[in-house]
Amino acid sequence: MPDPQTTASRRERLRTQTLQELKAASLAEVRERGAVGLSLRSVARRLGMSPAGLYRYVDSREQLLTLLIADGYHDLADHLLAALGTPPAERTAGDGATPEVPVIAGPDDDVAERIRAVALAYRAWSVAHPNVFGLLFGDPIPGYHAPPGGPTVEAMNRVGRALAQPLIEAWHQGRLRLHPALDAEELAGPLAPMVPVTAELPPAVLARLLLSWGRLHGQVSLEVFGHHHWLLPEGCEELFRADVEVTLRDLGVT
Amino acid sequence: MPDPQTTASRRERLRTQTLQELKAASLAEVRERGAVGLSLRSVARRLGMSPAGLYRYVDSREQLLTLLIADGYHDLADHLLAALGTPPAERTAGDGATPEVPVIAGPDDDVAERIRAVALAYRAWSVAHPNVFGLLFGDPIPGYHAPPGGPTVEAMNRVGRALAQPLIEAWHQGRLRLHPALDAEELAGPLAPMVPVTAELPPAVLARLLLSWGRLHGQVSLEVFGHHHWLLPEGCEELFRADVEVTLRDLGVT
DNA sequence: TTGCACTGCGAACACTGTTCACGTAAAAAC
DNA sequence: GTTTTTACGTGAACAGTGTTCGCAGTGCAA
C-alpha cells in the first residue's frame, strides 16, 4: 500500500496536506463550539485563508461536516478496537489526540471482560469528546442522508463491528442467552438487510446486538447530553458500570 | 385557579395570545426544519411582524428555544400520562396536535402492561415528532444549562415521573427484581440528589429507574436519529417491542 | 386629560454561507 | 524551452441571519 505522501505529485501532496489542516481546524472548532458553532469563515481565519479559498477543498459546510463525521466514527472505532486489544492494523483516520488510553481487555477467552472493555471505552470516548459525540449521534442534518456505500457508512460499520465483536464471540462460545421475544418471525424480515454486514448470524443474535448497542448508547447519550446532569451532578461512571453488570447478567455471560 | 384569559387585563390577554402564536409558529418551524432551522425572521414573517418586534416577547432566539423545550417536555409528559390512563388533571402545555392516540393501558394492577404502555407511548411520540425529540434530547445548546428550579426542569420532571410511575408501582407490589450491582454503596452517594424528586426510594430502585429510562431512550434515540435506518430501512417497531419484552423479563415483572 | 408604560417598526451593524470574475503559479503538452 | 492548461487563492458582492437602537403610536391608569 503506497504512501501518498511520497508517491503522489507535489501538487497532490500539498493539496492533501492543506485538506488535513482544514479538517483539523474544523474539528478543533467543533470540539470547542459544537457542530452548530462551526463557521467556515472562522476556520478560514485560523488557516490564514480567504473564506472563498476553502471552496477549493470542500463543496459546502455540510460536506465538511460529513467528512468530520466519518473521521469521528473512525476515531471512535479505533478506540474501541484498542480497548479490545486489537493492534492498529486498520488505518487510524481520526487525529488520535485523545489523551487517556482506555482499559485494556483481559485474556481473549474472558468475554465478559471484553464486553466491559468496549462498553467502558464507548463511554470514555463519548464523555471525552461530547461535541464530537453530538456530531455523530445528535440531531441529524435535517435533509441529509448518508450515501449508502459511502465512507460515512463504512466508518460507522467499523464502530458497529467493534461493538458486536465480543458479543459474537460469546455467541460462538454458546454463552449468549437469547430471549424468546427475539426469535419472533416478525424480526426476521426487518433484520434481513443486516445480513451482508454481519455474516451469517441468526436473527435473534442480530437483535441482541442491536438492542445491546441501544442500551449502551442510551445511557451514554443521556449522560453526555447532560440529561441527568441535574439529577446526578457528578459524572455517573458508577451508574454506568452498574448498567454494564446488569446487562452482562441479562446476556448470560456472567 | 383563575383563567388568565378572563381575569387579566386586555393588554395582558393580547400579550399572552400573541406569545402563544409566536410559540406555535416557532414550533411549526422546528417541526419541519429542525431546531437549527428555526429563524426568527421567518417566524416574524409568518406572524406578519417585524423581526425586531419579536424582541418584545422573547429575549433571544435561545430563550425562545428553551420555551419550546419546556412545552415539548410537557407535551411528551401528557402523552405518557394519557397512555397510563391518567385523566388530564395536569395542565397540557403542548399544542396537543398529535393525531394518533397512544395505547391505553390495561387494568391498574397489570404493571407489565402499564410499563409496555409508557414505553410504546415514549417511542410513538418520539417518532411522530422527530425534530421536537431532537430539540429535547439532541445536541444541547453549547453553553446553556437549564436553571435548576426553572420551568424546563419542572417539565422534565413530569416526564421522569410518568416514566417512573409504573416501575414504582411494580416495586411497591414487590415485583421489581433488583440486581446486586445496583446495591453497591458507591451508588448511594451519586444518587442522593435524586431523593427529593422521587420520594423515599432506596438507591437500588432509583438506579433501576434511571437505567430503564436509559435503555428505552437509547433504542428510541437510535431509531429517531436514523442511526440504524441504513441497517433497518423500515421503522423497527417490532425490534422495539422485543426490547420491551426483554426488559420486562429482566425487571422481573413478567 | 395628562402622563406613561407597552407595542411595533425601519434602519442599521456585525456576522454567516456561497458565488463569481480575476489574477498568479505550477504542472503538462508540445 | 515555450506554450497551454489546470489548480489555487483572492476580493468583492449577494442574500440571509440575530440583535440593537431610536422613533413613532396606542391602551391604560392617575
Side-chain angles (χ1 to χ4, degrees), chain A:
Chain A
M1 174 161 150
D3 182 5
Q5 287 286 345
T6 61
T7 115
S9 73
R10 168 180 165 81
R11 260 265 180 72
E12 298 180 25
R13 267 186 302 146
L14 289 183
R15 177 170 183 81
T16 65
Q17 177 181 335
T18 63
L19 184 87
Q20 297 296 342
E21 291 178 19
L22 202 170
K23 292 202 293 183
S26 307
L27 180 60
E29 191 123 325
V30 167
R31 281 218 168 105
E32 23 185 300
R33 282 197 265 283
V36 288
L38 174 65
S39 152
L40 287 188
R41 294 185 112 103
S42 174
V43 317
R45 281 191 291 270
R46 286 205 200 208
L47 299 184
M49 266 212 288
S50 158
L54 299 185
Y55 284 79
R56 300 286 157 179
Y57 298 90
V58 147
D59 291 344
S60 65
R61 193 189 108 107
E62 181 177 310
Q63 192 236 340
L64 172 59
L65 279 176
T66 72
L67 292 181
L68 296 183
I69 289 175
D71 284 6
Y73 278 127
H74 277 298
D75 192 38
L76 172 56
D78 290 340
H79 277 73
L80 297 183
L81 291 173
L84 285 170
T86 306
E90 322 249 76
R91 77 180 183 90
T92 144
D95 69 341
T98 312
E100 78 270 57
V101 173
V103 190
I104 296 297
D108 275 18
D109 50 78
D110 191 351
V111 252
E113 196 57 37
R114 287 166 68 74
I115 294 177
R116 281 193 196 95
V118 268
L120 289 173
Y122 193 89
R123 175 183 172 275
W125 185 91
S126 303
V127 304
H129 312 301
N131 283 328
V132 186
F133 179 84
L135 177 67
L136 300 186
F137 297 110
D139 311 272
I141 302 178
Y144 178 73
H145 279 273
T152 305
V153 173
E154 184 225 354
M156 170 94 210
N157 268 328
R158 286 188 64 219
V159 174
R161 280 196 297 269
L163 288 173
Q165 182 175 316
L167 289 174
I168 295 178
E169 295 170 10
W171 179 67
H172 279 140
Q173 298 175 13
R175 299 177 59 191
L176 193 66
R177 185 193 321 165
L178 297 177
H179 189 277
L182 301 176
D183 271 323
E185 61 270 14
E186 300 98 71
L187 284 181
L191 289 176
M194 273 189 71
V195 174
V197 53
T198 50
E200 56 289 323
L201 293 173
V205 177
L206 292 179
R208 259 295 188 205
L209 299 182
L210 280 183
L211 296 185
S212 302
W213 178 34
R215 294 182 179 191
L216 174 66
H217 180 77
Q219 218 57 48
V220 171
S221 174
L222 287 180
E223 176 177 359
V224 170
F225 288 159
H227 287 303
H228 32 58
H229 215 64
W230 54 278
L231 278 178
L232 313 174
E234 300 299 319
C236 41
E237 176 166 350
E238 293 89 355
L239 189 67
F240 184 79
R241 296 189 110 100
D243 188 31
V244 174
E245 294 309 316
V246 174
T247 297
L248 284 175
R249 167 81 60 172
D250 188 29
L251 288 173
V253 298
T254 183

Side-chain angles (χ1 to χ4, degrees), chain B residues 20 48 108 126 156 177:
Chain B
Q20 296 296 342
D108 275 19
S126 303
M156 170 95 211
R177 185 192 317 162

